Amino acid sequence: MDTFFEHLAHEFELPLANPVLVFTLILLIILVSPILLRRLNIPGIIVLILSGVLIGPHGLNLLAKNSAVDLFSTIGLLYIMFIAGLELDMNEFRTNRNKSLMFGFFTFIIPLGIGLPVCYYLLDYGFNASFLTASMFATHTLVTYPIVSKLGVSKNQAVAITVGGTILTDTAVLIILAVIMGSESGGLTTDFWIRLAVSLTIFLFIIFFLIPKIAKWFFGKLQNEKHSHYIFVLFIVFAAAFLAEISGVEPIIGAFMAGLALNRLIPHSSALMNRIEFIGNALFIPFFLISVGMLVDIRVILSGPMALVVAGTLSVVALLGKWLASLCTQVLFKYSGTQRQLIFGLSSSHAAATLAVILVGYKAKILDENILNGTIILILITCIIASFATEKAAKKILKNSEEDYGNSTEPVVYDEHILIPIANTQNMEKALEFATLVKDKKSTYPISILRVVPNNQEAEKNIGKAKDKLESFTRDASASETATEVIATIDYNASNGIARTAREIMANLIILGWPRRKGFIQKLIGEKMEHVLTYTDKTLFICDFQYPLVDHGRILVMAPPFAELEKGFILWTAKISALAQELSTPIVYSCNTETRKAIEKYKQENSINAVYGFEEINSPEDFFTHTGKLKRQDLLILISARKGAISHRHGMDNLPARTEKHFHQNSKIIIYP
């Protein structure tokens, strides 16, 4: 019995050494802390940081800052930066890259300009020490990014320019760090500058040229190996981080660049994106936040008045510099006060890059212990203030956007219901992926997958088989948290079953596959299609995807005159815009002036970030004269019309056959509003 108690006492010796027990404690904190303090309206990020303070070596000493904690902390930090790059709206970023450059300039030069004289004259440090400390004020870590991601405002322009500015200012500071270290060691020579420039050039070439090509090939070759996709993404993140490190910059820069490189290949609503965010938000990112708290030693403020003065001065200067940078950005670009607060909240938290700069300077004996201790207190204060500011601003933006959406003159479609009739399961995966990407996220209805079974003696037996076969294809949709339901019904012919089911479930969008029967393409709008078109007033998408959706470089849309007057105009415009945003792909419309004005009005009223281009045509015939401009991986979308519709034109009934003849190698969609 004594041996048992001795063994038990050994297991619970502080700090805990048993890896199973350590991991159990971390998971318990991640699970319980946010739940316990939710009623106090404290952001979960603050709770995790404070938990780290409590259990860390400077608190109850339950955990030591060992290699295992450092490993998970590093993974979490790289994950935050990677997700920030992955979720960045590239269309928004391209449109507002000049704004990102200006914010990056403000958030770098203002804190540096305030910090240098404060450290040099007020705190009486040498020039190198003052310059290095002042450059630390210019850095920031996107600790509060998970808040905007969770609340669904990561596509806001203020977020896009802040994320873009983050990478600019952090890169500049880390290069300054390398330069100062080089000057201290006497190595600031021509060879140093050449080596830094060459290594960064090679790094950027690998990230933005080789990695996207390798990823595109990998995802294409192993379409069905979904678990391999996630492992591949993790490999790219850490490989990019390592390449950045050997190139002379911090690994966080590499992780962010990896996110940018894979941005177009991983749509935001995809199952892979859901897996990436789920594992990061559930485990790795909370681990990093706890490890940040473990660095904080509250006792340093009791070590003497100088430590208290330095900590207070550093914290005030850091927050003031970032607030002034966000204010200048607001004034210059006429942003709202809420957007200014969001920019300040995202950019005012100091952690990874800040700590990297100060630790390197401390180990090189450029900075003293007071600066190190003051920086650790600064990390705690800025993370707490940034969390409150970000959450408050993000909630206000979310509330305002919902109010604007509710006050729109267009009808709000929260009850969107998509129906996918399946003739064969060969192309079902692409059809389901397309439906997942364009589905209205506010709709509570699932995507309905339909199989019509012939009404014969085997009908009851076949209906069970059909359901079982379709169920196996819904896993990807479930992985992306998109609800699906499988419907199998009996009817004498498929078109009648589709039309009847569409009415029964009140579907307003039907996605059909492209018919493949030999000789049938000339009569594409034959019995099946004509019956569906005649007996339903639903918007109909007839889809033929020759390539994975993420492989398409452009979306080309042909809209006939008066298309804007059709009842389904808003629906198909919204779906094409949603697809373009998910794929970060530009849209080129071929239409007349009136249709163009209607599309531009829709874009402006709904704050659509997709990149638009227009080419004027006055009839569908004009479109076919431009076939030479089509590239192999362009996605072609043709807007057609039912007979008797205002936009229906002579020759439209033959449009599908002509489309197949001219564009058989392209992915294509024909839409009947």
Side-chain angles (χ1 to χ4, degrees):
M1 184 63 72
D2 291 340
T3 306
F4 170 74
F5 283 113
E6 285 176 8
H7 174 71
L8 199 63
H10 176 70
E11 288 293 336
F12 284 94
E13 281 182 4
L14 300 181
L16 300 174
N18 187 317
V20 176
L21 190 57
V22 168
F23 202 67
T24 303
L25 176 62
I26 292 290
L27 291 178
L28 182 65
I29 291 170
I30 294 171
L31 174 68
V32 173
S33 297
I35 296 173
L36 290 178
L37 295 180
R38 187 176 295 161
R39 292 191 177 186
L40 300 177
N41 202 27
I42 298 176
I45 284 176
I46 294 177
V47 177
L48 291 169
I49 293 173
L50 292 177
S51 299
V53 176
L54 183 66
I55 67 169
H58 307 298
L60 299 177
N61 196 31
L62 297 180
L63 292 184
K65 197 81 168 58
N66 54 31
S67 58
V69 172
D70 287 340
L71 173 64
F72 275 89
S73 170
T74 302
I75 293 172
L77 173 59
L78 295 179
Y79 228 96
I80 288 177
M81 297 303 293
F82 172 66
I83 289 177
L86 200 60
E87 288 191 339
L88 185 65
D89 189 330
M90 292 306 291
N91 292 324
E92 184 78 54
F93 183 71
R94 288 189 197 100
T95 305
N96 300 288
R97 57 181 175 272
N98 293 334
K99 293 181 179 179
S100 286
L101 285 169
M102 285 307 301
F103 171 70
F105 174 76
F106 287 144
T107 200
F108 174 76
I109 204 69
I110 293 175
L112 189 67
I114 296 173
L116 183 58
V118 167
C119 294
Y120 189 73
Y121 293 109
L122 183 63
L123 298 181
D124 199 27
Y125 283 102
F127 180 79
N128 272 2
S130 298
F131 194 63
L132 192 59
T133 306
S135 69
M136 173 269 290
F137 296 132
T139 68
H140 56 258
T141 305
L142 295 171
V143 170
T144 59
Y145 185 83
I147 293 175
V148 299
S149 180
K150 183 180 178 182
L151 292 174
V153 296
S154 59
K155 300 290 185 183
N156 188 278
Q157 190 179 111
V159 177
I161 70 159
T162 307
V163 172
T166 298
I167 200 66
L168 294 171
T169 188
D170 281 5
T171 302
V173 168
L174 294 170
I175 289 173
I176 285 175
L177 175 62
V179 171
I180 289 177
M181 295 306 296
S183 69
E184 282 287 316
S185 60
L188 207 60
T189 61
T190 306
D191 288 345
F192 168 82
W193 292 108
I194 293 173
R195 189 169 61 250
L196 183 64
V198 170
S199 61
L200 285 176
T201 302
I202 294 171
F203 167 69
L204 293 173
F205 174 79
I206 292 171
I207 291 292
F208 291 113
F209 184 77
L210 291 183
I211 285 180
K213 288 184 179 295
I214 294 169
K216 197 173 183 179
W217 173 84
F218 185 87
F219 291 149
K221 286 292 181 183
L222 298 173
Q223 288 187 45
N224 298 321
E225 300 290 331
K226 302 302 181 186
H227 64 283
S228 298
H229 291 186
Y230 180 74
I231 301 300
F232 174 78
V233 167
L234 275 188
F235 165 75
I236 292 296
V237 173
F238 290 101
F242 176 71
L243 287 173
E245 192 170 20
I246 63 176
S247 298
V249 294
E250 282 296 302
I252 55 174
I253 305 296
F256 181 81
M257 295 292 187
L260 293 181
L262 297 178
N263 187 288
R264 274 205 65 245
L265 299 176
I266 306 177
H268 192 262
S269 296
S270 66
L272 179 57
M273 185 67 167
N274 184 264
R275 292 184 180 106
I276 291 168
E277 289 184 329
F278 176 79
I279 296 175
N281 292 330
L283 184 61
F284 294 137
I285 293 174
F287 217 117
F288 163 69
L289 296 170
I290 290 171
S291 72
V292 169
M294 291 174 68
L295 293 171
V296 176
D297 186 358
I298 301 296
R299 291 172 298 182
V300 299
I301 62 175
L302 304 175
S303 62
M306 188 58 186
L308 192 61
V309 168
V310 171
T313 304
L314 294 184
S315 300
V316 170
V317 171
L319 291 169
L320 178 63
K322 293 299 181 181
W323 188 84
L324 288 174
S326 60
L327 178 65
C328 290
T329 306
Q330 177 203 3
V331 172
L332 183 62
F333 301 122
K334 296 182 173 62
Y335 286 150
S336 66
T338 307
Q339 285 178 303
R340 182 201 67 228
Q341 185 178 344
L342 185 61
I343 293 170
F344 169 71
L346 283 168
S347 64
S348 58
S349 54
H350 291 66
T354 302
L355 201 58
V357 170
I358 296 303
L359 284 176
V360 170
Y362 178 72
K363 288 174 183 176
K365 297 184 179 179
I366 301 172
L367 304 176
D368 63 14
E369 194 173 27
N370 286 328
I371 291 286
L372 177 64
N373 291 337
T375 301
I376 292 172
I377 298 300
L378 175 149
I379 288 172
L380 177 63
I381 293 172
T382 57
C383 285
I384 290 174
I385 291 175
S387 297
F388 278 113
T390 303
E391 185 164 61
K392 185 178 179 181
K395 285 181 176 178
K396 192 178 290 185
I397 286 174
L398 186 66
K399 182 181 178 182
N400 291 341
S401 66
E402 287 178 348
E403 287 175 356
D404 292 343
Y405 199 67
N407 295 332
S408 173
T409 54
E410 299 296 339
V412 180
V413 184
Y414 289 120
D415 58 347
E416 175 186 88
H417 201 160
I418 298 176
L419 175 67
I420 310 178
I422 299 297
N424 63 72
T425 54
Q426 186 177 356
N427 295 317
M428 178 180 167
E429 192 171 342
K430 289 178 182 175
L432 189 55
E433 182 188 5
F434 173 74
T436 302
L437 295 183
V438 303
K439 184 180 184 291
D440 183 355
K441 304 302 182 285
K442 291 184 172 67
S443 172
T444 56
Y445 283 105
I447 296 173
S448 297
I449 304 167
L450 171 67
R451 186 71 180 266
V452 180
V453 176
N455 189 8
N456 54 33
Q457 292 182 343
E458 299 289 318
E460 291 186 10
K461 183 179 179 182
N462 289 338
I463 204 167
K465 287 182 180 178
K467 274 194 171 184
D468 292 340
K469 198 167 186 179
L470 293 179
E471 288 283 3
S472 64
F473 283 90
T474 61
R475 292 173 190 163
D476 271 353
S478 300
S480 64
E481 296 188 357
T482 301
T484 58
E485 68 170 351
V486 170
I487 302 172
T489 188
I490 301 171
D491 216 304
Y492 287 103
N493 62 71
S495 57
N496 195 58
I498 294 169
R500 178 173 51 78
T501 305
R503 291 194 299 271
E504 288 174 354
I505 67 171
M506 294 184 290
N508 46 16
L509 176 59
I510 302 174
I511 299 174
L512 288 170
W514 200 270
R516 293 292 177 199
R517 226 180 331 159
K518 189 177 179 181
F520 189 71
I521 199 65
Q522 286 75 22
K523 298 179 180 179
L524 182 60
I525 307 304
E527 293 180 7
K528 179 179 177 181
M529 299 298 176
E530 188 174 356
H531 196 282
V532 175
L533 284 168
T534 303
Y535 290 99
T536 69
D537 60 352
K538 319 298 182 185
T539 296
L540 188 66
F541 281 55
I542 305 172
C543 303
D544 175 28
F545 298 117
Q546 298 285 341
Y547 310 101
L549 285 168
V550 294
D551 286 356
H552 296 102
R554 288 188 305 173
I555 299 175
L556 303 185
V557 185
M558 190 283 290
F562 305 115
E564 71 279 6
L565 301 179
E566 299 287 0
K567 185 180 177 183
F569 171 76
I570 293 295
L571 179 59
W572 64 254
T573 307
K575 295 307 168 196
I576 293 173
S577 298
L579 182 64
Q581 286 182 278
E582 288 284 353
L583 302 178
S584 296
T585 304
I587 311 171
V588 179
Y589 279 97
S590 295
C591 58
N592 66 11
T593 305
E594 295 305 316
T595 306
R596 173 179 180 167
K597 288 179 181 177
I599 292 169
E600 288 179 331
K601 182 183 177 184
Y602 171 82
K603 178 187 176 185
Q604 187 176 4
E605 287 180 349
N606 293 275
S607 302
I608 303 297
N609 296 327
V611 176
Y612 281 64
F614 291 92
E615 183 179 54
E616 188 162 343
I617 65 167
N618 293 304
S619 75
E621 295 297 326
D622 295 344
F623 182 78
F624 289 93
T625 63
H626 296 83
T627 55
K629 296 183 179 180
L630 231 64
K631 296 176 183 177
R632 190 184 183 99
Q633 289 187 315
D634 286 338
L635 172 59
L636 179 62
I637 300 180
L638 302 174
I639 312 300
S640 189
R642 290 169 166 85
K643 288 181 181 178
I646 191 170
S647 63
H648 187 271
R649 291 290 179 273
H650 177 69
M652 259 189 187
D653 297 337
N654 197 34
L655 188 60
R658 295 179 65 192
T659 305
E660 177 68 15
K661 180 181 176 181
H662 286 85
F663 312 115
H664 63 279
Q665 290 187 331
N666 289 89
S667 296
K668 44 200 170 287
I669 302 172
I670 297 179
I671 300 176
Y672 288 86

